[in-house]
Amino acid sequence: MEYKIEVNNQEEIYDIGKVARQAAGSVMLKIKNTVILAAVSRDDTPVDGNFVPLTVQYIEKTYAAGRIPGGYIKRETKPGDFETLTSRIIDRSLRPLFPDGYAYPTQLTLFVLSCDPEVDLQVAALNAASAAVYLSDIPINKNVAGVRIGCIDGQYVVNPSNTELKNSSLDLYVAGTKEELLMIEMRSIATNESIPMPIAAIDPMLDPALSENLVATQSANEFDEDAILKAIDEAQAAITAATSAYETIFTPLKKEDAILEYKADLKNDSIYAYVDEFYKNDVKRAIEKMAKSERARDLDEIIKTIMADDIAVTETWEKELVSAVVNEYKKKIVREMIVFERVRADGRDLTEVRPISIETNLLPNAHGSCLFTRGQTQALAIVTLGGDKDGQMYDKLTEKNVETDDFMVNYNFPGFSVGEAGPLRPPGRRELGHGNLARRALEPLLDVNRLQTIRLVSEILESNGSSSQATICGGSLALRAAGLKTEKLVAGIAMGLVFEGDKHAVLTDIMGLEDHDGDMDFKVAGTRDGVTALQMDIKLGGVSRDVLKEALYQAKEGRDHILEIMEKADEEIVINNDILPKLELFSIDPSKIVDIIGQGGKVIRELIEKFEVSIDLEREKGEVKIAGGSKTKVEAAKTEIMEIVNKPSFGGRGGGRDNRGGGRPRREEKPVPTFAEGEVVDGKVVRIVDFGAFVQLPGDIDGLLHVSKIADHRVDKVSDYLEIDQAVKVKILKQNGRKIELGLEK
């Protein structure tokens, strides 16, 4: 039966009891022409461990958009990144609702059966998933809603369409119940604002007649803490409206809760008192061990010692029970130190950031690199620059054409980073999620009209909390180390909250222990001017808006501290210019394209061979793209092309018009002078490049004096031997048309 709900700028139609009727709960949700099936199933036998064995699988079917999968295998195979990240969002939003001690294997499956390009699939998927779980016999008695908040022309918009979102400066995704928020993800979106500029400010070599077609761009959008809080308020109001509507419709349809057995927490007051009396200091010393592996070994030793005590033998304490009590006691000590003593396990103040060290371009053959170390968390960020054909191609269900990603962030987390032995595996949901967070933080500060494809890889070499934020810090500097003109530096910091009764503590730069034993953690990344990305996994029940505001502003203080250190490191960057690839894109008069090509393609072939570059020409727009492995050679090729373009066009090179078409009479091109091999002539140095010098010869033609022909030994710097306008005697070594190779006559 269909149930229509009008809420938050969209009509949601839930078809209940029609399909997947053997699942514990299922719905088919329709929003416009998007249809999503959500079904949840539960095993009857619980697992041994005390955790929620929930698996979420969000799968997009290409038939939903009227397409057949690309590639050799014509069916859906491995989920794409968007599917994996959406599964992760649903998992993080629903997992907190399961009852304590619930240990029944549960699988939530979502199929996108039909796709409307204007519908937000992540919002629709979470709402469908929540409905399926709520209607099932699983004892969950709260509805969850997901909403997206955009900011268009300075106004907050609830659930913007996909087209509207492209014009938004904010992308805030929030999931929650009527009473509390569960998950927040936020990113700022770069905008492409056209600003007319004087031609000389863009490129003094270009023809001034083209200035009216050229603009500069400004991209960054940052949101201050108050703006973020206002957007979250909008989201909370929208979630309350949606969940209230769901409750009214779904409650009468909900299945009766299944009678289930729940895992009891392993507790024992006597053992707890025994640990407190005799092992309190030992536990505190174990807590002070910063490395996870060292702390775990010390706690294991304490457990073994207790198990060997006479009282443990007499009382027949089980090791599993003692282990649970010791770990619970450890958690209590950590929390009480923070809230009541205002000190942390490593001795830091609550607002103190761990020591930071930064080293840039330590990898000689990488385009850009940065080793960022904060306490016992260390990220090696490496940037590689490529051309427009190096981007990652992917299909997006809401887009008709294949998309290309020209900024990729890959986060890797090997076991040795936390002292564990294990095989290297393909990236999982956590790795994809952390990489996506770093990308969202950094992308708004990149030039929206950049020519390069950028791949940023973060190798986590050591981890004790906040490795995703170390990736952001190291990645921001690695981009600068690769010579990219990012608008501002971006820093990331992980914050924590701990509550004990009516007291709370906000922690800056949390480590792994505090993440594990705290009540809330959230990650904030941005510049000095505002936040570019935010991720929170929280439950705001009992947490006031003032506490959240306190945490956001404390994060700003920590972020500014890190940025100050990063700015000093930025000033010391030495760019690897010799290995950086170069890409130039500029516009000329379209009628001059034929001059660059030359008769039969002769001129462009000579340019490609001479400067070892690739040259792409767009005839209609007059665009010229030059790419090569050497910045100097690319710039030299551009210089020569501009010289060709700026010469009067007599039609000789590219097939200019003759008088047969009634146009201007064709003039003869100036003949190329011919020299004898071995002939010595007078010349003048007109340009110096890293691979030699160009010498003007009699007849107004240039020859190339290669660096190997300047002296009897290797020349490291041509300018040490030659200078512009210097008169030289050169020998003609070889001539092939306009291409002349020279040797320096001693």
Side-chain angles (χ1 to χ4, degrees):
M1 186 172 178
E2 290 188 350
Y3 298 87
K4 295 183 180 180
I5 300 175
E6 292 274 358
V7 65
N8 295 331
N9 300 324
Q10 62 188 19
E11 181 184 67
E12 301 179 0
I13 302 174
Y14 290 87
D15 203 332
I16 300 171
K18 182 177 181 178
V19 297
R21 289 171 293 185
Q22 295 191 46
S26 66
V27 301
M28 198 153 59
L29 170 60
K30 182 177 181 182
I31 302 176
K32 294 183 179 178
N33 288 329
T34 285
V35 179
I36 295 180
L37 169 66
V40 60
S41 296
R42 171 185 55 80
D43 284 352
D44 293 327
T45 305
V47 297
D48 292 334
N50 192 359
F51 65 96
V52 179
L54 173 65
T55 302
V56 179
Q57 292 180 296
Y58 165 87
I59 304 295
E60 294 181 345
K61 301 293 185 176
T62 57
Y63 56 67
R67 294 204 297 265
I68 295 174
Y72 291 104
I73 302 175
K74 298 302 180 181
R75 68 178 300 168
E76 290 79 9
T77 52
K78 178 184 175 183
D81 287 0
F82 180 82
E83 292 167 285
T84 301
L85 294 170
T86 302
S87 298
R88 193 167 184 259
I89 283 175
I90 297 169
D91 187 304
R92 288 160 50 203
S93 302
L94 297 181
R95 186 176 291 270
L97 300 183
F98 283 80
D100 291 339
Y102 181 93
Y104 293 85
T106 303
Q107 182 166 339
L108 179 58
T109 304
L110 297 105
F111 290 160
V112 180
L113 305 177
S114 179
C115 177
D116 188 311
E118 291 300 327
V119 173
D120 188 324
L121 292 175
Q122 289 186 332
V123 169
L126 177 57
N127 293 346
S130 173
V133 172
Y134 181 80
L135 291 167
S136 73
D137 62 358
I138 298 172
I140 290 179
N141 298 306
K142 290 184 179 181
N143 287 285
V144 172
V147 299
R148 196 178 299 276
I149 305 295
C151 184
I152 302 173
D153 297 329
Q155 300 295 317
Y156 292 123
V157 178
V158 178
N159 286 340
S161 68
N162 289 331
T163 297
E164 289 174 331
L165 191 62
K166 293 177 181 179
N167 298 316
S168 173
S169 56
L170 171 69
D171 180 0
L172 175 70
Y173 186 95
V174 185
T177 66
K178 187 195 298 185
E179 301 85 8
E180 59 195 19
L181 300 182
L182 300 170
M183 191 276 301
I184 300 175
E185 286 201 350
M186 169 261 173
R187 68 182 176 109
S188 63
I189 303 176
T191 55
N192 191 352
E193 181 182 358
S194 298
I195 306 173
M197 290 185 67
I199 187 67
I202 302 170
D203 192 335
M205 295 181 62
L206 295 184
D207 186 347
L210 301 173
S211 62
E212 63 185 32
N213 297 323
L214 295 172
V215 294
T217 58
Q218 178 70 28
S219 63
N221 284 305
E222 299 112 316
F223 288 82
D224 63 26
E225 286 68 20
D226 285 339
I228 291 172
L229 288 169
K230 289 178 182 177
I232 291 174
D233 288 342
E234 292 279 347
Q236 179 65 82
I239 288 171
T240 300
T243 52
S244 297
Y246 299 155
E247 184 177 321
T248 301
I249 298 294
F250 296 150
T251 299
L253 306 173
K254 180 173 170 54
K255 292 181 181 178
E256 185 177 346
D257 288 349
I259 299 175
L260 304 174
E261 294 181 2
Y262 298 108
K263 299 277 186 176
D265 290 336
L266 292 175
K267 294 182 179 180
N268 186 294
D269 293 340
S270 297
I271 298 176
Y272 193 93
Y274 185 82
V275 174
D276 185 52
E277 182 69 29
F278 297 109
Y279 290 94
K280 182 174 184 177
N281 291 331
D282 297 286
V283 173
K284 278 194 169 184
R285 282 192 291 270
I287 289 172
E288 291 171 357
K289 297 292 179 64
M290 291 300 97
K292 176 183 175 182
S293 55
E294 294 177 357
R295 186 168 60 249
R297 281 195 297 269
D298 281 11
L299 290 173
D300 283 343
E301 287 300 319
I302 293 171
I303 294 167
K304 290 178 182 177
T305 303
I306 293 174
M307 291 300 297
D309 288 352
D310 291 340
I311 185 68
V313 175
T314 302
E315 296 294 325
T316 62
W317 289 344
E318 294 182 358
K319 184 177 181 180
E320 182 183 10
L321 179 60
V322 172
S323 177
V325 171
V326 168
N327 280 283
E328 183 63 26
Y329 184 79
K330 179 262 299 180
K331 180 177 179 179
K332 171 179 173 291
I333 294 295
V334 169
R335 295 169 65 86
E336 288 183 347
M337 286 174 60
I338 291 170
V339 175
F340 299 113
E341 300 176 28
R342 314 300 286 181
V343 66
R344 301 157 76 168
D346 58 358
R348 277 187 292 154
D349 180 76
L350 301 189
T351 62
E352 186 178 348
V353 178
R354 289 171 290 177
I356 293 173
S357 66
I358 299 172
E359 184 179 354
T360 55
N361 276 346
L362 66 161
L363 304 180
N365 264 357
H367 293 158
S369 59
C370 175
L371 181 65
F372 183 91
T373 306
R374 177 166 55 200
Q376 286 189 309
T377 295
Q378 188 176 69
L380 177 60
I382 306 102
V383 167
T384 307
L385 305 180
D388 54 1
K389 296 181 181 179
D390 293 319
Q392 175 67 60
M393 299 177 66
Y394 64 95
D395 285 317
K396 192 172 182 181
L397 211 57
T398 54
E399 300 290 341
K400 292 182 178 180
N401 300 318
V402 175
E403 300 284 298
T404 301
D405 189 357
D406 61 1
F407 179 48
M408 299 163 282
V409 180
N410 302 145
Y411 168 100
N412 298 315
F413 192 88
F416 65 75
S417 66
V418 288
E420 296 177 354
L424 295 177
R425 301 185 184 278
R429 292 186 177 185
R430 179 181 179 275
E431 286 79 8
L432 291 175
H434 282 7
N436 183 57
L437 175 59
R439 171 187 168 148
R440 290 189 286 119
L442 295 170
E443 190 169 29
L445 281 305
L446 294 172
D447 181 3
V448 294
N449 286 336
R450 62 183 178 273
L451 302 177
Q452 304 99 332
T453 291
I454 304 168
R455 184 187 184 219
L456 168 61
V457 178
S458 176
E459 306 287 2
I460 303 302
L461 307 183
E462 189 175 4
S463 179
N464 187 3
S466 195
S467 58
S468 64
Q469 305 309 287
T471 295
I472 292 169
C473 298
S476 183
L477 286 167
L479 291 168
R480 290 280 182 93
L484 295 171
K485 304 297 183 182
T486 57
E487 194 171 335
K488 302 169 189 174
L489 288 172
V490 180
I493 190 163
M495 308 294 293
L497 284 172
V498 177
F499 297 90
E500 285 292 329
D502 60 351
K503 295 183 179 296
H504 75 274
V506 179
L507 305 179
T508 297
D509 182 26
I510 59 173
M511 54 185 180
L513 177 67
E514 294 162 340
D515 186 6
H516 183 270
D517 293 337
D519 295 311
M520 180 193 311
D521 77 284
F522 58 100
K523 304 173 179 69
V524 188
T527 69
R528 288 192 179 275
D529 298 322
V531 176
T532 58
L534 179 74
Q535 180 176 295
M536 296 188 183
D537 292 298
I538 60 179
K539 294 185 72 174
L540 283 184
V543 182
S544 68
R545 189 177 185 277
D546 290 339
V547 172
L548 181 57
K549 183 175 181 179
E550 175 190 349
L552 283 170
Y553 274 97
Q554 188 169 312
K556 175 174 170 46
E557 293 176 3
R559 193 171 73 243
D560 287 345
H561 168 77
I562 298 169
L563 282 168
E564 184 176 349
I565 299 172
M566 291 174 61
E567 286 162 359
K568 292 178 182 177
D570 181 44
E571 295 173 356
E572 299 173 359
I573 290 176
V574 179
I575 297 174
N576 296 331
N577 280 315
D578 291 343
I579 65 167
L580 287 183
K582 178 68 175 176
L583 186 64
E584 285 277 358
L585 178 65
F586 54 97
S587 297
I588 63 170
D589 184 340
S591 67
K592 298 283 187 176
I593 291 289
V594 292
D595 293 343
I596 300 173
I597 297 173
Q599 189 172 8
K602 178 181 179 182
V603 174
I604 195 170
R605 284 199 302 271
E606 290 180 354
L607 289 168
I608 291 171
E609 182 181 351
K610 180 177 180 180
F611 298 105
E612 299 176 344
V613 296
S614 64
I615 302 174
D616 293 322
L617 304 173
E618 174 58 58
R619 288 176 176 266
E620 293 184 2
K621 297 180 181 179
E623 288 183 352
V624 181
K625 184 189 294 184
I626 311 173
S630 166
K631 178 180 179 181
T632 306
K633 292 181 180 180
V634 170
E635 291 177 347
K638 179 181 177 181
T639 300
E640 185 149 326
I641 286 174
M642 295 311 299
E643 289 178 356
I644 293 171
V645 168
N646 291 328
K647 286 181 179 179
S649 179
F650 302 126
R653 282 196 186 93
R657 293 181 301 173
D658 59 22
N659 57 4
R660 287 177 294 176
R664 187 171 53 189
R666 187 182 184 103
R667 300 183 187 176
E668 291 298 325
E669 188 178 39
K670 191 174 182 179
V672 176
T674 302
F675 300 93
E677 188 172 319
E679 181 181 354
V680 177
V681 298
D682 293 321
K684 182 175 70 173
V685 178
V686 292
R687 191 185 317 129
I688 294 176
V689 293
D690 61 348
F691 54 90
F694 291 97
V695 179
Q696 187 179 60
L697 306 175
D700 194 24
I701 190 172
D702 294 347
L704 174 62
L705 177 60
H706 192 263
V707 64
S708 62
K709 307 298 182 182
I710 294 176
D712 296 331
H713 57 278
R714 177 179 175 81
V715 173
D716 293 325
K717 194 173 182 181
V718 178
S719 57
D720 289 342
Y721 294 83
L722 300 172
E723 59 185 27
I724 301 297
D725 292 334
Q726 178 180 343
V728 292
K729 284 188 177 293
V730 291
K731 179 184 291 186
I732 308 298
L733 301 179
K734 185 178 179 182
Q735 180 175 6
N736 182 7
R738 300 185 65 87
K739 185 176 179 182
I740 304 174
E741 298 178 17
L742 306 173
L744 187 63
E745 185 71 6
K746 306 296 189 292

